[in-house]
Amino acid sequence: MSLLSDFMLLALLGGIGLAVISAPLGVFMVWQRQSYFGATLAHSALLGISIGLFLQIDLTLSVILISMLVAAAIFWLSQHKQLSSDTLLGILAHSSLAFGLVLISLQDNIQIDLMGYLFGDILSINSIDLSLILLTSILILLFYFKYWGALLNVTLNPELAQVEGINVKRVQLLFVLLLAFMIALSMKIVGVLLVTSLLIIPAAAARKLSTSPEQMLGFSIFIGVCSIIGGLFTSYYIDLPTGPSIVVVATILFLLLQLKPQPNR
Amino acid sequence: MHFSNFRQPLIKAENVSHKYETNTVLQNISLQIFAKEIVTLIGPNGAGKSTLLKILLGLTTPSQGTVSRQKNLKIGFMPQKIHIDPTLPMTVERFLQLGLPNKHQTLFSKFKLGSFKAAYGNTIIEKTTQELDIVNLLKQPIQKVSGGEMQRILLARALIREPDLLVLDEPVQGVDLQGQTEIYDYINKIRNEHECGILMVSHDLHIVMKHTDEVLCLNRHMCCTGHPQTVSKNSEFQALFGDLSESLAVYEHHHNESCQLTHGEASHGLSAQNKHHEHQINTTSKPKGGK
């Protein structure tokens, strides 16, 4: 008799949870011009899947491990860089994707569902996924509780932040690892395209409404949650693919907000 | 007369050399900065000014040599320029608040409005912004201010930390002439009021000299050091800066007439004089050619 079937309720809870945890990471990706970073990590997740299949270990675990390894690699390379981070990310994104595909093709009897890879399957969220999302949100809350101001200062100017006594490398590395963890986790649920969309689009849309970083975070959460709810219900009632519907709703919200003039002239 | 010997330097570099790959950018640099002293670092492009600054600030580890700082030295740093992405919504006021030496600027500290620290911090911000005449900018988005205004904001941010050592990288870049004089006078006032040491980097030789106690002329190695007058007469300095050093001499002349009193008053004047002599010796004992 309930209005929502069980799977819809789980999808809603999981989706809202993901929107909430991607907002604090997404705003910093936008502020630091790192949107490609998310894409790279999402691609490297495929390598995680194929290694997991190859070694016959739990896929979620292997995706998380590989993503965090790639994140650490990016971090290390950017510290000792001869290449621009743009080039670096391009190389890592596509090489890890290629390695992943090659490794998968070496194994017999395995086919990957490309749509599933791109858009995940939010309707198949289970309680384990939900508890992982909860765990991530606790990690993120702890991180921001301690480092919100520090991360803002690092975003403003890393050198100034370091002179002012912030351990810039530690803050950056923790942020990157957290991002990798979150992306790996939500990969399976919402897929590669949705992860990056969920990180970037609500944050970008929130800019128009905000005059402070905290406001932008708040609006970003709100817009993300609206996109999830809107996307889920449109797909439920008009029978559209769920993942893409969520991205479409988020994009429409973003476009609508572009019509609004800047709050701070 | 040996007053300066009893003072501990705020920061001290000893025989610092630095290489990028095989390219030596700094060679055997030693320097000290004391409280209440304004030291100006000058040198042509590529002389290693920024590298030396980064080493002193602890951002770069030198290939050789050591940098030692006084215990718990609080540094206020004003970077040359700063780019803030337009997607980051931030008022000038918030930018300044983020510079307060508050160890725990958490997501929630913004809401603890009544706390003593916040009130104290805001008083300092109020005072500093009034003195720098940027109160009217506080509510503006930081991306909208002009270059000259930004310099004042960055200076304010360095000052609200109440530093023992103030490090300024080209502090008057993009500031009009009148503003430059104002800022330099203000920096001089800070030195006297807060008794902090000041290290300034500049390639603008004209105005720099006014309140400077010691000039370090850098061209990969330390060409010459000493009181502005001494340095401006140094042959290596003249070779480096050519005709500029002439206009400098003119300026220096003005300065001497108008500032004799203030310099005489400070006990510090004595030690500067003292050092001045040391450096003359230094200059002659290091005749490594720049050209």
Side-chain angles (χ1 to χ4, degrees):
Chain A
M1 280 309 284
S2 70
L3 206 71
L4 296 171
S5 47
D6 273 359
F7 75 88
M8 263 303 268
L9 191 66
L10 280 176
L12 258 181
L13 279 177
I16 289 171
L18 279 183
V20 171
I21 59 175
S22 42
L25 300 170
V27 287
F28 276 100
M29 284 172 74
V30 170
W31 294 335
Q32 299 184 354
R33 299 186 170 245
Q34 280 193 324
S35 44
Y36 269 103
F37 190 79
T40 305
L41 284 180
H43 281 305
S44 69
L46 184 75
L47 183 63
I49 292 177
S50 53
I51 288 180
L53 288 171
F54 189 73
L55 299 176
Q56 297 187 323
I57 54 173
D58 183 69
L59 288 189
T60 310
L61 185 69
S62 69
V63 170
I64 287 174
L65 284 178
I66 294 296
S67 296
M68 290 177 81
L69 268 179
V70 171
I74 294 172
F75 179 76
W76 187 83
L77 284 170
S78 67
Q79 295 287 314
H80 305 81
K81 72 175 157 203
Q82 306 292 329
L83 293 166
S84 75
S85 60
D86 186 44
T87 312
L88 205 65
L89 292 178
I91 294 171
L92 272 165
H94 300 111
S95 61
S96 59
L97 188 61
F99 275 115
L101 288 170
V102 166
L103 204 57
I104 283 182
S105 72
L106 286 178
Q107 304 166 64
D108 300 329
N109 307 326
I110 292 177
Q111 282 188 322
I112 52 163
D113 169 14
L114 202 60
M115 270 305 271
Y117 170 65
L118 289 177
F119 287 108
D121 188 2
I122 197 169
L123 298 180
S124 69
I125 285 187
N126 57 35
S127 52
I128 296 172
D129 297 327
L130 272 186
S131 43
L132 275 172
I133 291 171
L134 192 67
L135 173 74
T136 319
S137 55
I138 291 170
L139 288 178
I140 289 177
L141 198 67
L142 284 176
F143 174 74
Y144 280 106
F145 187 73
K146 190 143 188 250
Y147 291 118
W148 176 257
L151 195 55
L152 275 178
N153 272 326
V154 172
T155 307
L156 285 168
N157 186 305
E159 288 194 340
L160 185 57
Q162 184 155 349
V163 173
E164 289 178 353
I166 292 167
N167 190 336
V168 175
K169 277 188 187 174
R170 185 207 282 161
V171 175
Q172 278 175 333
L173 183 64
L174 282 175
F175 175 72
V176 161
L177 288 179
L178 209 53
L179 187 61
F181 188 77
M182 183 267 166
I183 287 177
L185 176 77
S186 41
M187 250 288 293
K188 184 184 144 208
I189 307 168
V190 287
V192 173
L193 288 185
L194 238 175
V195 175
T196 26
S197 317
L198 217 50
L199 283 165
I200 302 301
I201 301 176
R207 174 63 182 102
K208 279 276 178 171
L209 301 168
S210 324
T211 50
S212 77
E214 291 76 17
Q215 255 182 27
M216 186 154 149
L217 172 63
F219 281 121
S220 174
I221 292 177
F222 180 71
I223 294 168
V225 171
C226 287
S227 314
I228 293 281
I229 296 176
L232 271 174
F233 279 99
T234 27
S235 82
Y236 188 70
Y237 287 113
I238 333 181
D239 193 26
L240 295 171
T242 317
S245 307
I246 294 170
V247 180
V248 167
V249 172
T251 311
I252 290 173
L253 287 175
F254 171 77
L255 289 175
L256 283 178
L257 283 167
Q258 295 314 297
L259 300 174
K260 187 186 176 300
Q262 280 283 15
N264 39 28
R265 286 140 287 138
Chain B
M1 284 310 270
H2 292 280
F3 186 57
S4 64
N5 291 348
F6 294 101
R7 294 197 298 168
Q8 285 289 316
L10 297 171
I11 192 165
K12 184 175 168 187
E14 282 173 298
N15 307 318
V16 165
S17 298
H18 196 68
K19 283 179 186 176
Y20 289 119
E21 311 277 303
T22 54
N23 181 18
T24 306
V25 284
L26 288 176
Q27 209 175 14
N28 207 23
I29 309 285
S30 299
L31 63 89
Q32 298 183 357
I33 300 167
F34 292 91
K36 283 192 79 175
E37 183 180 58
I38 297 184
V39 175
T40 302
L41 183 64
I42 57 174
N45 292 333
K49 297 190 297 280
S50 338
T51 308
L52 181 55
L53 207 63
K54 280 186 183 176
I55 288 172
L56 291 173
L57 289 170
L59 296 168
T60 304
T61 315
S63 321
Q64 265 173 42
T66 54
V67 174
S68 46
R69 298 166 178 200
Q70 210 172 63
K71 221 177 167 190
N72 300 324
L73 182 73
K74 244 196 293 176
I75 298 182
F77 172 45
M78 175 179 170
Q80 200 178 110
K81 53 186 164 227
I82 178 169
H83 171 79
I84 297 171
D85 199 273
T87 55
L88 180 58
M90 185 165 288
T91 59
V92 171
E93 188 173 28
R94 188 74 210 284
F95 176 77
L96 292 177
Q97 281 167 352
L98 277 168
L100 287 172
N102 182 352
K103 288 254 179 220
H104 300 285
Q105 300 222 11
T106 67
L107 184 47
F108 305 104
S109 62
K110 210 182 164 251
F111 305 107
K112 291 185 233 156
L113 285 171
S115 85
F116 169 73
K117 223 172 194 170
Y120 177 65
N122 286 333
T123 315
I124 293 183
I125 290 178
E126 219 170 274
K127 180 172 167 281
T128 314
T129 50
Q130 270 165 12
E131 284 175 350
L132 279 166
D133 196 20
I134 49 173
V135 179
N136 56 327
L137 300 177
L138 285 177
K139 301 292 174 200
Q140 277 193 37
I142 192 143
Q143 291 91 350
K144 297 277 159 77
V145 305
S146 74
E149 289 168 339
M150 193 63 199
Q151 293 300 99
R152 285 163 196 259
I153 293 167
L154 288 173
L155 179 58
R157 173 152 171 160
L159 285 172
I160 56 173
R161 301 177 58 74
E162 304 190 294
D164 309 312
L165 175 66
L166 192 58
V167 179
L168 313 167
D169 195 353
E170 308 262 3
V172 294
Q173 215 178 35
V175 179
D176 58 42
L177 214 60
Q178 195 205 333
Q180 292 190 1
T181 318
E182 275 172 32
I183 289 185
Y184 279 130
D185 285 345
Y186 184 60
I187 290 173
N188 189 44
K189 194 178 135 218
I190 297 161
R191 174 260 297 265
N192 291 327
E193 277 175 13
H194 298 276
E195 316 210 324
C196 57
I198 295 173
L199 172 65
M200 216 166 0
V201 175
S202 180
H203 57 234
D204 182 359
L205 298 171
H206 252 81
I207 274 188
V208 153
M209 300 301 182
K210 191 164 174 184
H211 301 292
T212 297
D213 302 301
E214 190 178 4
V215 175
L216 310 175
C217 173
L218 188 73
N219 189 23
R220 299 193 176 219
H221 65 284
M222 204 66 95
C223 290
C224 48
T225 60
H227 194 267
Q229 268 194 312
T230 330
V231 169
S232 61
K233 287 184 189 128
N234 180 281
S235 61
E236 212 180 325
F237 176 85
Q238 286 176 353
L240 263 181
F241 290 103
D243 48 341
L244 266 177
S245 55
E246 255 170 55
S247 55
L248 176 80
V250 172
Y251 185 85
E252 195 45 41
H253 192 73
H254 284 191
H255 156 63
N256 272 348
E257 284 173 4
S258 61
C259 293
Q260 205 92 56
L261 256 178
T262 39
H263 272 282
E265 268 170 3
S267 60
H268 170 68
L270 292 174
S271 59
Q273 206 71 3
N274 222 2
K275 233 172 288 145
H276 162 183
H277 288 297
E278 280 172 33
H279 286 300
Q280 265 180 318
I281 297 163
N282 259 351
T283 324
T284 42
S285 66
K286 265 200 247 169
K288 284 176 224 156
K291 300 245 158 175

